């Protein structure tokens, strides 16, 4: 009794299957009827940005303000600053919506328009910025900043941050600084310097050799190595209180200290007159908390992972200097770098996924890799000697010292190596840049 | 009962069984004929003999090289040994910068979204993926075709994208040419991409016989004016595009659809 319905069902199934195979390609073809190509996701094209001259009564002030602002935006690597000669907007146009026409900015090819105003009101500077999406004909943001009359550069840095935040949605770097070493006095002294290479403030002035500054996570203190007492010792500088004190003066090397992300520990290289190993220290008393390495080779240059659970360091235990990673208690040591015979100066990225380090080939160059030592990205190649990599707090940039212009200066590169710009240009050589966390001062 | 039905000697063919079979076979033959007529109008998409797999990658920009003047600074001279001294006095500092007060001019705009650490990490990961993509050599794998999470539309399936099927090599080459020309002109705002990674726009472009862009049309807007405008501008700014391979020119005469996905996930 069941045979007939089963046969009928199987015939119908066969029929539907045949129909299914014969029709779809034709149907899809009819649906589109166009040749289709995809450009893929957008790459890292520079965004065309128009910055008309700032409004304001004082033209000298406006020029200086514009100069700092444009330089910041160039350093950021996000933009292609459009030539003001191509601007069509009449001089009387204002800053606010309705006071100008977007069509004046589409022809020069602007994607973003940043209109600014700077005024000196008594002893105070006041800057205003209006940021527009030209293609969308809409305001992205508007901000005003004020500061003392001597704080023009600082105000301009804040405006640059506001523009970058409005366009990219991410915080930028102009509320950070470098602690770095300069030899303009004939000695190696530590300075704080703005991200654009200006506004250097001395931290040490002891006529000796001061090296390897490292920021505390809250940006209020520096730890560094100084030979001021004849031996490489560790010193703690409290930037808010303007005090300095020595925290580790053990026999032999006291060098290469790095703050843990929580700020409660330092990792540093101590030799105690013998082989150099990595220890954790109390950052205020200098007391040894733990000895992390015990190999017969040299262990140095510790760099904490952002979570504080691991430390990257350099060791020659396998022969040449190579990058290793260990747990923060000294266990689970494993080698990371296998490319090249001499790799030093590891610096852990803020996202925790990459390490930057220096590799020596013909010259010293900066390379980044993932935590397995793979996915190598070459940041520099054969452009003089490039050393001392340090990540920006957002992980978008790396700073390093480079001798590519003849003198050692601080350079910034985007983490992919594409956009590189020289930051310091002044007298004397710069080295050992250490990128601060975001600062509110 | 069932076992007797399945025995060959018990199987009997009734007349209406034969009739039904003939009817259904006739229908199948009819559909095959009609179906053949229906798909004959279209150009063949793939020549199986020519199939190869390719990966679309953006070529990295050439890096500017500065003159290489290796002038590695000599190591600092070792300091003369000095007996351990008393702690030095505090060293000079300039005054910390006064913090700038920040206000908003009138008509305060909505505050930008606060982003947590997770968002930053995700952005970093996306970026590192992009970096890997850019750096990948011209390989032998069609990434879109092998993406297990691909959710591309039927139109893309038509072009061989994201279907798991290899793309026609001529089409792959053509896509690469278009990409090289259009991508540098495409500058959507990063904030829009970050906030809306699913944006997707299709711009239709018509070329004249020399490849000059005759007409552009928004075939499928994303709904974000700024993003859509950036796509249209990218095509218009290109001015001229290469002509499609001969076997696709008939199809292209009806228009070329250029896809603009905000992220590779699309």
């Amino acid at each position: 009794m069941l045979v007939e319905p089963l046969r009928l069902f199987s015939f119908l199934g066969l029929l539907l299957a045949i129909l299914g195979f014969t029709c779809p390609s034709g149907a899809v073809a009819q649906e589109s009827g166009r040749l289709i190509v995809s450009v893929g996701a957008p790459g890292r094209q520079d965004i065309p940005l128009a910055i008309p001259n700032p409004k304001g009564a004082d033209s000298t002030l406006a020029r200086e303000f514009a100069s700092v602002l444009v330089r910041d935006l160039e350093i950021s690597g996000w933009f292609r600053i459009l030539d003001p000669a191509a601007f069509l907007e009449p001089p009387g146009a204002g800053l606010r919506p309705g006071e100008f026409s977007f069509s004046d900015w589409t022809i020069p090819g602007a994607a973003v328009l940043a209109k600014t105003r700077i005024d000196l009101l008594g002893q105070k500077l006041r800057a205003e910025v209006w940021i527009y999406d030209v293609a969308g004909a809409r305001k992205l943001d508007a901000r005003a900043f004020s500061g003392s009359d001597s704080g023009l550069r600082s105000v301009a840095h804040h405006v640059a941050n506001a523009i970058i935040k409005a366009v990219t949605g991410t915080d930028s770097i102009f509320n950070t600084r470098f602690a770095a070493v300069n030899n303009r006095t004939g000695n190696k002294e530590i300075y704080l310097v703005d991200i654009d290479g200006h506004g250097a403030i001395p931290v040490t002035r002891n006529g000796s050799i001061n090296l390897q500054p490292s920021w505390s996570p809250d940006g209020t203190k520096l730890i560094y190595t100084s030979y001021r007492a004849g031996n490489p010792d560790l010193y703690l500088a409290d930037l808010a209180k303007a005090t300095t004190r020595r925290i580790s003066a053990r026999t032999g090397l006291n060098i290469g200290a790095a703050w843990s992300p929580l700020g409660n520990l330092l990792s540093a290289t101590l030799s105690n007159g013998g082989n150099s190993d990595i220890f954790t220290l109390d950052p205020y008393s200098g007391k040894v908390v733990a000895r992390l390495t015990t190999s017969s080779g040299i262990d140095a240059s510790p760099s904490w992972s952002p979570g504080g659970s691991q430390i990257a360091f350099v060791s020659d235990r396998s022969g040449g200097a190579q990058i290793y990673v260990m747990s923060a208690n000294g266990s689970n040591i494993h080698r990371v770098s296998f490319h090249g015979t001499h790799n030093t100066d590891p610096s852990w990225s803020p996202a925790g996924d990459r390490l930057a380090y220096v590799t020596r080939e013909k010259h010293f160059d900066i390379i980044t890799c993932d935590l397995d030592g793979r996915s190598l990205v070459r940041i520099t190649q054969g452009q003089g000697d490039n050393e001392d990599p340090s990540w920006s707090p957002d992980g978008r940039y790396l700073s390093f010292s480079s001798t590519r212009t003849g003198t050692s200066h601080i350079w910034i590169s985007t983490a992919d190596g594409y956009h590189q710009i020289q930051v310091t240009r002044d007298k004397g050589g710069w080295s050992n840049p250490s990128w601060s966390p975001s600062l509110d001062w | 009962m069932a076992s007797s039905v399945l025995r060959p000697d018990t199987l009997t063919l009734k007349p209406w069984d034969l009739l039904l079979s003939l009817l259904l076979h006739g229908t199948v033959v009819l559909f095959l004929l009609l179906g053949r007529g229906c798909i004959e109008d279209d150009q063949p998409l793939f020549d199986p003999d020519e199939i190869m797999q390719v990966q679309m990658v953006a070529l990295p920009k050439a890096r500017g090289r500065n003159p290489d003047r290796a002038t590695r600074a000599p190591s600092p001279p070792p300091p003369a040994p000095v007996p351990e001294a008393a702690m030095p006095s505090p060293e000079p500092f300039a005054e910390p910068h006064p913090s700038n007060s920040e206000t908003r001019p009138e008509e305060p705009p909505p505050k930008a979204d606060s982003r947590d650490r997770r968002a930053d990490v995700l952005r970093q990961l996306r970026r590192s993926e992009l970096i890997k993509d850019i750096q990948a050599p011209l390989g032998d794998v069609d990434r879109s075709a092998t993406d297990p999470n691909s959710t591309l539309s039927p139109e893309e399936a038509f072009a061989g994208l994201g279907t798991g099927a290899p793309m026609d090599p001529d089409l792959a080459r053509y896509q690469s040419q278009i990409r090289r020309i259009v991508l540098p002109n495409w500058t959507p705002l990063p904030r829009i991409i970050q906030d809306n990674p699913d944006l997707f726009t299709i711009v239709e472009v018509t070329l004249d016989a020399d490849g000059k862009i005759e007409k552009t049309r928004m075939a499928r807007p994303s709904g974000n004016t700024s993003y859509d405008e950036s796509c249209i501008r990218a095509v218009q700014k290109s001015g001229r595009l290469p002509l499609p391979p001969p076997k696709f020119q008939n199809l292209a005469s009806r228009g070329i659809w250029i896809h603009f996905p905000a992220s590779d996930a699309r």
Side-chain angles (χ1 to χ4, degrees), chain A residues 278 293 298-303 311-315 317 322-326 333-334 343 346 348:
Chain A
I278 296 174
T293 62
I298 295 170
D299 300 317
S301 301
S303 172
I311 295 173
F313 65 103
V314 177
S315 178
R317 62 187 64 199
Q322 295 292 349
I323 310 297
Y324 290 75
V325 166
M326 63 181 163
I333 295 178
H334 61 279
N343 298 307
W348 213 306

Side-chain angles (χ1 to χ4, degrees), chain A residues 143-144 146 228 246 350 387, chain B residues 72 84 88 101-103 117:
Chain A
R143 302 258 170 174
S146 59
R228 61 188 300 170
R246 188 167 57 185
E387 297 177 86
Chain B
R72 183 164 167 71
E84 194 79 281
S101 61
E102 175 190 340
T103 56
R117 178 86 182 149

Side-chain angles (χ1 to χ4, degrees), chain A residues 231-412:
Chain A
N231 190 62
D233 297 331
L234 293 177
Y235 289 78
L236 175 69
D238 187 320
L239 303 176
K241 296 177 185 166
T243 58
T244 299
R245 63 194 178 89
R246 188 167 57 185
I247 62 158
S248 180
R250 295 171 174 85
T251 306
L253 300 175
N254 302 262
I255 58 171
W259 290 84
S260 68
L262 292 178
N264 60 339
L265 286 174
L266 295 175
S267 57
T269 303
L270 308 177
S271 69
N272 283 321
N275 178 44
S276 67
D277 278 304
I278 296 174
F279 294 75
T280 47
L281 310 177
D282 181 280
Y284 302 102
S285 68
K287 286 182 180 168
V288 168
V289 175
R291 178 174 180 169
L292 302 184
T293 62
T294 54
S295 84
S296 58
I298 295 170
D299 300 317
S301 301
S303 172
W304 293 82
S305 67
S309 61
Q310 291 178 292
I311 295 173
F313 65 103
V314 177
S315 178
D316 69 351
R317 62 187 64 199
S318 60
Q322 295 292 349
I323 310 297
Y324 290 75
V325 166
M326 63 181 163
S327 297
N329 62 4
S331 64
N332 299 321
I333 295 178
H334 61 279
R335 182 172 163 180
V336 172
S337 65
F338 292 91
H339 165 270
T341 56
H342 187 89
N343 298 307
T344 57
D345 272 346
S347 176
W348 213 306
S349 74
D353 58 341
R354 296 190 74 77
L355 291 167
Y357 61 89
V358 176
T359 188
R360 187 182 68 192
E361 293 163 330
K362 190 177 174 187
H363 299 280
F364 289 89
D365 281 309
I366 311 280
I367 279 181
T368 69
C369 68
D370 64 19
L371 300 187
D372 294 325
R374 291 196 285 261
S375 303
L376 296 177
V377 174
R378 180 174 282 281
I379 305 300
T380 65
Q381 184 165 27
Q383 300 145 304
D385 285 323
N386 305 277
E387 297 177 86
D388 314 319
S390 175
W391 294 87
S392 62
D394 62 357
R396 177 176 155 80
Y397 306 93
L398 276 164
S399 66
F400 52 93
S401 59
S402 178
T403 61
R404 66 186 72 181
T405 59
T407 304
S408 180
H409 277 290
I410 300 174
W411 285 66
I412 290 177

Side-chain angles (χ1 to χ4, degrees), chain B residues 79-95:
Chain B
V82 177
E84 194 79 281
M87 286 307 299
S89 57
E91 292 181 333
F93 283 92
E95 294 217 347

Side-chain angles (χ1 to χ4, degrees), chain A residues 39-46 78, chain B residues 58 127 130 134 179 183-184 186-188 190 262:
Chain A
V39 298
R44 59 168 324 283
Q45 272 60 249
D46 296 342
W78 282 109
Chain B
R127 179 143 199 86
L130 174 65
I134 290 169
R179 182 180 169 133
L183 207 52
W186 188 27
T187 54

Side-chain angles (χ1 to χ4, degrees), chain A residues 18 24 27 46 102 173 195 199 207 211 218 292 361 364 397 410 436:
Chain A
I18 290 169
D46 296 342
F102 280 108
I173 51 173
I195 293 301
L211 300 166
D218 63 1
L292 302 184
E361 293 163 330
F364 289 89
Y397 306 93
I410 300 174
S436 81

